[in-house]
Amino acid sequence: LPSDRNQPIHIYSDRLERDEKTAVTTYIGNVKLDQGSLHITADKLVIYQANGDLSKIQAIGKPAHLQQLPEVGQQIVYAQGEVIDYFSDKDLLILTKNASITQDGTLVKSERIEYLISEEIIKAKGSAEATSGDDRVHVVIPPSQTNNKAHSAPEKTPEQPSPSQPPLSDEE
Amino acid sequence: MSRRSRQVQQQLALVATVVAITIATFYLLSSRKVQELTTADTITSPEWYISKADFLSYGPDGIIRSKGLASEAIHHDYNQQTTIESPKLTSFLLGTPYRTAVAQHGTINSKKVILLTKDVVLTQFPSKQDRVLTLTTQSLLIDTKNNTADTSAPVTIRQGSGKTDAIGLHADLDLNFLSLLSGVHTVYAP
């Protein structure tokens, strides 16, 4: 949710390591992060700070999972990848390695996915060497969505005569 | 008297003498007056006692390295320990205060290991752009030789907008690296 960024971030883990010199904090073991509707679970979570503020959060897992509700009334977005990078200042999510993102049945799978959360833009990229198979971008749009477009025309409308065909009478 | 029986007699005499000496020593030691003096001597009269202690230490380059204040410092010879009340210890980096540790009580042993107890607050002052870091716990073992700090007690660390609670800590004060050992929960305020 847009209001997520105004919520406190809660992080739970088994252990923590903090390097004061580099201002990097690493949470290790059963890591859970909650911020409003944003939830991340991972084996490891690395927090990078610049001038004391969070600049980047990196979740690492087999895979790491993330979910967030983009807007009230919309469906939750579920994302996963072996590495999830979250840049809070740009509201940008980068999923790498067995990455996938799904919302309301629509699925995008590939080696690398960039998701601009506030603009709801997804960029997916297969691995450089991929010519076929799993390493390419793979998108699934569920039938329910494709059919809706077909059914959206009103039922009673007579078939539009194509320019070459004479108009059909009602009895036929 | 045959040679054999004379040997037996000599051995018996030897045993009797050993027993007699043992009894005498035990009797001497156990007499209240002597025992009382020995223990009384080590407990009630410390080697030295300082009130409002203020001690400084300098490096070979003459720059101040650490400063210690205590309302009381009492040193006992028998265990080579100094107990300090309301200690405030400050370590300096290039002449400027870098870390302070305060507590209600503390002890310093002969190996220069300091155990701080009760309302321990360790504060690290900002370097570069980071903000002040404060660590609070109920006991903290600071090894001034290896420059490490350890506790198995619950700790709370505050820095900038973050507050972390955990149980158990190991900190390498030279490397500026700390590990929290279990039950970690951090809250970053927005």
Side-chain angles (χ1 to χ4, degrees):
Chain A
L1 290 174
S3 62
D4 283 350
R5 66 174 59 241
N6 305 321
Q7 307 288 323
I9 297 174
H10 287 265
I11 305 173
Y12 303 86
S13 72
D14 293 341
R15 287 185 299 111
L16 174 149
E17 290 176 356
R18 161 80 178 176
D19 185 338
E20 271 304 316
K21 288 200 172 101
T22 57
V24 171
T25 306
T26 306
Y27 293 83
I28 301 160
N30 300 309
V31 185
K32 213 161 68 93
L33 179 148
D34 300 323
Q35 182 184 32
S37 75
L38 170 68
H39 304 291
I40 296 176
T41 56
D43 299 332
K44 190 187 226 187
L45 195 80
V46 186
I47 297 212
Y48 299 84
Q49 283 176 294
N51 306 329
D53 293 324
L54 300 195
S55 60
K56 170 177 147 180
I57 296 175
Q58 181 174 69
I60 299 161
K62 295 276 183 204
H65 294 273
L66 175 144
Q67 71 175 63
Q68 187 174 35
L69 184 62
E71 291 282 351
V72 176
Q74 280 195 15
Q75 295 294 314
I76 291 178
V77 172
Y78 295 93
Q80 68 176 46
E82 291 189 24
V83 180
I84 298 180
D85 289 318
Y86 175 54
F87 299 86
S88 50
D89 53 349
K90 292 177 248 175
D91 219 12
L92 166 66
L93 207 56
I94 298 179
L95 313 158
T96 43
K97 279 189 173 177
N98 300 320
S100 74
I101 190 163
T102 179
Q103 180 188 30
D104 195 17
T106 303
L107 169 70
V108 178
K109 278 180 79 168
S110 97
E111 263 314 283
R112 178 187 163 92
I113 298 176
E114 288 185 21
Y115 174 39
L116 281 161
I117 299 173
S118 37
E119 289 144 51
E120 294 183 39
I121 293 173
I122 292 178
K123 297 178 198 169
K125 180 167 163 281
S127 69
E129 314 80 44
T131 50
S132 67
D134 268 355
D135 289 349
R136 299 204 311 153
V137 178
H138 179 199
V139 178
V140 176
I141 300 175
S144 59
Q145 289 205 10
T146 45
N147 285 352
N148 279 351
K149 283 198 185 78
H151 288 144
S152 60
E155 273 171 23
K156 275 284 169 195
T157 316
E159 250 192 81
Q160 297 301 331
S162 63
S164 57
Q165 250 186 343
L168 301 173
S169 64
D170 284 346
E171 283 76 32
E172 277 187 9
Chain B
M1 194 189 285
S2 70
R3 202 157 155 265
R4 174 86 186 114
S5 62
R6 203 178 304 114
Q7 269 181 351
V8 167
Q9 268 186 354
Q10 280 170 353
Q11 281 169 354
L12 280 176
L14 185 63
V15 166
T17 315
V18 166
V19 167
I21 292 169
T22 311
I23 291 169
T25 313
F26 179 74
Y27 180 74
L28 254 177
L29 270 185
S30 66
S31 71
R32 278 196 62 69
K33 206 161 179 329
V34 168
Q35 199 175 18
E36 224 169 48
L37 250 178
T38 326
T39 45
D41 178 37
T42 54
I43 298 290
T44 52
S45 58
E47 178 72 6
W48 46 259
Y49 167 91
I50 302 172
S51 72
K52 296 192 177 64
D54 181 345
F55 49 92
L56 301 161
S57 83
Y58 294 85
D61 49 15
I63 298 179
I64 185 167
R65 284 233 319 246
S66 64
K67 174 183 172 73
L69 296 171
S71 61
E72 269 181 13
I74 308 165
H75 180 77
H76 290 285
D77 224 14
Y78 77 97
N79 60 6
Q80 286 299 303
Q81 265 203 4
T82 306
T83 57
I84 42 182
E85 298 304 322
S86 314
K88 175 176 182 182
L89 314 173
T90 304
S91 68
F92 290 74
L93 193 64
L94 306 174
T96 59
Y98 187 58
R99 275 191 204 100
T100 65
V102 298
Q104 288 201 23
H105 309 298
T107 59
I108 307 173
N109 70 12
S110 52
K111 295 191 178 78
K112 298 264 192 313
V113 174
I114 305 170
L115 174 63
L116 297 176
T117 52
K118 248 176 154 284
D119 304 335
V120 182
V121 180
L122 184 133
T123 309
Q124 180 163 297
F125 294 91
S127 61
K128 285 184 276 172
Q129 291 299 312
D130 288 345
R131 299 186 194 154
V132 172
L133 178 147
T134 63
L135 178 148
T136 53
T137 181
Q138 285 308 308
S139 87
L140 191 65
L141 196 70
I142 301 173
D143 182 335
T144 57
K145 278 226 176 91
N146 299 315
N147 228 355
T148 58
D150 288 85
T151 186
S152 55
V155 295
T156 298
I157 294 178
R158 287 181 175 78
Q159 183 174 41
S161 63
K163 169 179 176 287
T164 298
D165 293 300
I167 296 173
L169 161 128
H170 169 72
D172 185 315
L173 303 176
D174 279 339
L175 297 178
N176 241 325
F177 191 91
L178 73 86
S179 307
L180 297 179
L181 308 183
S182 69
V184 177
H185 174 208
T186 297
V187 183
Y188 285 103

